[in-house]
Amino acid sequence: MPYKKIGKEDIQFLKSIVGQTQVIEKNDIEVDFSHDELQTITAFPDLHIFAHDKSQIQAIMTYANQEKIAVTVRGSGTGLVGACVPVEGGILLDTSKMNQIIELDHVNMTLRVEPGVLLMDIAEYVEKEGLFYAPDPGEKSATIGGNIATNAGGMRAVKYGVTRDWVRGLEVVLANGELVSFGGKVVKNSSGYSLKDLIIGSEGTLGIIVEASLKLIPLPKETMSLLIPFDNRTLAIDAVPKIINGHALPTAVEFLEKASLKFSEEFLGKKIPHADYEAYLLVSYDGSTKASVSYDIEAVSDLCLNQLGAIDIYLVDTAERKESVWSARGAFLEAIKASTTLIDECDVVIPRANITEYLDFTHQLSQELEIRIPYFGHAGDGNLHIYFCKDDLSDQAWEEKTQIGFKKMYDKAFEFGGKVSGEHGIGFAKKQYLIDQVGKTQIDIMKGIKQTFDPNLILNPNKVI
Ligand SMILES: Cc1cc2nc3c(=O)[nH]c(=O)nc-3n(C[C@H](O)[C@H](O)[C@H](O)COP(=O)(O)OP(=O)(O)OC[C@H]3O[C@@H](n4cnc5c(N)ncnc54)[C@H](O)[C@@H]3O)c2cc1C
């Protein structure tokens, strides 16, 4: 699809919308805005534009649609699949300055926000009010717009679901500049197709989120975690369904192995307590009273020690232990990244029942391809983060091994009924695997939807499908 090459007149017009200083021209664009967090996909836009409100976005889109200029939205750029990288050039539309919390509605238990508000700011704001927005993707400096556009997940998905479950309404600027409202503050909605849910996870290809109404619940007053060591990963992973099917649903069930903990220890430069066992589950419970959470903790401890082969149970209860264990878990991606020259990732989600078999397959593949493949995972929801590490491989060997390796990893996941992405999306990097997973009929339906929302195909071109 040929897009218009941006000229002087376009730049003048766009500056008249947002102000002279809010349009950065090609030669002055910082390299950070040519990639996302993973840095495997890179491309510079022709213009980097900061938007400050929805009317500016409407005006930019009306113009871009008339002139057929490609527009890629960017939040914080913490994505991992090249979704915010402007691979067709054009405008990089930055929403990071639209960062106002608009309204906390105590009666309807909703929070209205602009798209550039950071996840960490939402958590801090609502928790001060005794309220809770449950989705907790690992990268707290991501924007809520980016979280919604990727339907971000996180560790608490086991109990609370993912971003989509916490969005009541969206205001969206369409490709032609029109502002539309999907959903609202209502708790239920059976009114026609759920266009709100279509926008969630659409990675900036169907519309630009300019406002969101998020669902809130009362803040759970008590949270407790357990670090549970096992002799091997099979025992640890086999314990997960029994823990989940037990008496109470945990908030999170994370799977850790000695190898990944060692990366974190090296990266953080500090020792993690009890880090010498082969495999672990990190299990959390929350609730409204200490007694109810203690009851859950005792029940799961009893189950793990007496029936599931756990070696011991470590309560993560003091501030120091919480900081140590959770910071180690939170640092896995950064630690793996720091251990090598380049990484590429596989964020598959598979049925919980197949995790052990899938990880055995990953180990075999690592040996077969002679490439390091560390991983960690949300064992409670079957979402695994598996990283190919370049180390000292040549560029050509890296290309070959990742191509062969990823194809095998995804094909194996599909055998089990798994999906390409559990939470990071498809972006640019995983497009071929989506085709392999869903097939022509579904891709054609998606293309039809794209065509309806964005007939000139200007929004985040060459992504997802
Ligand atoms: C250390 C680390 C840990 C992470 N942990 C998790 C995790 O636990 N779970 C998880 O899901 N992800 C995780 N991620 C990935 C990343 O943080 C998420 O994908 C996040 O949702 C991206 O938000 P962002 O603001 O950085 O968006 P960007 O990377 O800027 O953009 C992502 C996509 O959203 C689109 N977009 C952004 N804003 C808008 C908007 N207003 N309207 C329409 N489209 C928009 C972009 O066009 C792009 O397609 C992690 C990343 C890192 C680096």
Side-chain angles (χ1 to χ4, degrees):
M1 176 89 195
Y3 295 98
K4 180 181 176 187
K5 198 163 165 26
I6 294 177
K8 281 208 172 85
E9 278 178 17
D10 303 311
I11 297 174
Q12 270 322 104
F13 185 80
L14 292 161
K15 283 185 174 172
S16 76
I17 298 172
V18 290
Q20 297 286 322
T21 58
Q22 302 305 300
V23 176
I24 318 294
E25 293 182 44
K26 190 149 195 164
N27 292 338
D28 297 322
I29 295 172
E30 288 174 33
V31 71
D32 280 354
F33 294 96
S34 66
H35 61 75
D36 66 3
E37 190 66 29
L38 212 57
Q39 303 183 25
T40 48
I41 313 291
T42 56
F44 275 90
D46 295 300
L47 295 177
H48 178 189
I49 301 184
F50 292 95
H52 293 254
D53 62 43
K54 55 183 110 167
S55 67
Q56 290 182 351
I57 293 192
Q58 283 192 266
I60 292 168
M61 290 313 301
T62 306
Y63 185 75
N65 196 45
Q66 274 164 15
E67 300 296 320
K68 310 226 175 1
I69 297 172
V71 179
T72 300
V73 190
R74 182 179 172 106
S76 294
T78 68
L80 300 167
V81 288
C84 69
V85 181
V87 292
E88 299 291 341
I91 295 171
L92 184 68
L93 186 56
D94 193 319
T95 56
S96 61
K97 293 192 177 175
M98 291 174 67
N99 57 4
Q100 297 302 305
I101 293 180
I102 304 166
E103 178 199 37
L104 173 58
D105 181 338
H106 283 276
V107 178
N108 290 305
M109 299 278 273
T110 51
L111 186 75
R112 274 174 60 215
V113 290
E114 287 192 314
V117 178
L118 304 185
L119 185 60
M120 62 179 136
D121 294 337
I122 291 177
E124 194 191 326
Y125 186 89
V126 300
E127 285 173 22
K128 268 196 270 179
E129 301 283 330
L131 296 167
F132 190 46
Y133 172 72
D136 67 334
E139 181 54 69
K140 311 301 180 208
S141 68
T143 63
I144 190 66
N147 276 186
I148 295 170
T150 55
N151 187 26
M155 294 190 230
R156 295 196 282 244
V158 183
K159 180 167 179 180
Y160 291 110
V162 295
T163 301
R164 178 174 277 118
D165 303 305
W166 292 78
V167 177
R168 289 260 167 86
L170 291 177
E171 281 200 6
V172 173
V173 172
L174 299 177
N176 65 4
E178 196 179 332
L179 180 68
V180 287
S181 177
F182 299 129
K185 288 183 176 179
V186 288
V187 176
K188 296 159 79 178
N189 185 0
S190 296
S191 318
Y193 301 142
S194 182
L195 301 179
K196 166 188 70 102
D197 288 301
L198 205 48
I199 294 291
I200 301 167
S202 65
E203 301 183 51
T205 61
L206 300 183
I208 301 176
I209 299 156
V210 291
E211 193 181 303
S213 289
L214 307 174
K215 168 179 136 179
L216 302 174
I217 60 170
L219 181 66
K221 293 193 175 53
E222 298 293 335
T223 306
M224 277 190 224
S225 307
L226 296 172
L227 187 63
I228 311 175
F230 291 85
D231 275 331
N232 56 58
R233 69 168 175 276
T234 308
L235 272 175
I237 288 168
D238 286 353
V240 174
K242 291 165 191 138
I243 292 171
I244 291 176
N245 298 343
H247 71 290
L249 194 57
T251 324
V253 185
E254 294 294 300
F255 166 64
L256 330 173
E257 272 187 89
K258 194 185 199 168
S260 29
L261 282 175
K262 292 290 165 210
F263 283 127
S264 280
E265 283 192 335
E266 269 168 39
F267 180 71
L268 297 170
K270 60 182 182 190
K271 188 103 185 76
I272 296 156
H274 321 295
D276 291 321
Y277 297 100
E278 281 309 311
Y280 301 81
L281 292 178
L282 181 56
V283 184
S284 292
Y285 287 88
D286 66 7
S288 51
T289 65
K290 198 164 191 154
S292 72
V293 180
S294 298
Y295 176 80
D296 295 339
I297 290 282
E298 273 170 39
V300 78
S301 303
D302 187 50
L303 176 72
C304 287
L305 281 176
N306 297 322
Q307 295 180 43
L308 304 179
I311 299 170
D312 210 336
I313 302 284
Y314 299 111
L315 250 187
V316 184
D317 50 355
T318 62
E320 197 188 348
R321 277 185 177 214
K322 279 184 194 165
E323 207 284 317
S324 173
V325 172
W326 284 104
S327 67
R329 166 60 188 86
F332 278 168
L333 170 54
E334 292 300 320
I336 291 172
K337 216 171 146 191
S339 78
T340 185
T341 47
L342 188 64
I343 57 171
D344 204 347
E345 74 141 14
C346 175
D347 148 56
V348 284
V349 57
I350 55 172
R352 277 197 294 257
N354 301 108
I355 297 178
T356 299
E357 212 181 322
Y358 194 72
L359 291 180
D360 288 346
F361 175 80
T362 306
H363 279 269
Q364 278 164 23
L365 192 67
S366 169
Q367 283 176 0
E368 193 185 301
L369 291 175
E370 297 179 337
I371 186 167
R372 208 156 54 84
I373 314 184
Y375 56 81
F376 54 91
H378 308 297
D381 58 31
N383 184 194
L384 302 170
H385 297 312
I386 299 170
Y387 296 90
F388 282 34
C389 295
K390 184 168 186 254
D391 296 338
D392 52 7
L393 289 173
S394 69
D395 289 350
Q396 195 193 343
W398 169 246
E399 271 305 308
E400 282 167 16
K401 285 176 196 273
T402 47
Q403 226 168 34
I404 297 168
F406 279 129
K407 173 94 178 90
K408 289 191 176 187
M409 295 292 296
Y410 287 112
D411 284 349
K412 189 74 184 171
F414 305 154
E415 257 179 48
F416 295 135
K419 311 290 169 201
V420 179
S421 169
E423 52 183 24
H424 298 161
I426 300 300
F428 186 75
K430 307 297 173 193
K431 283 181 357 170
Q432 181 55 48
Y433 307 118
L434 181 68
I435 298 171
D436 294 347
Q437 180 210 307
V438 301
K440 183 175 181 320
T441 304
Q442 289 193 45
I443 293 288
D444 284 349
I445 294 172
M446 291 188 208
K447 283 186 175 164
I449 291 168
K450 169 73 177 167
Q451 187 74 40
T452 303
F453 272 86
D454 178 17
N456 290 324
L457 308 181
I458 57 167
L459 271 175
N460 207 0
N462 216 345
K463 302 289 170 58
V464 185
I465 46 169

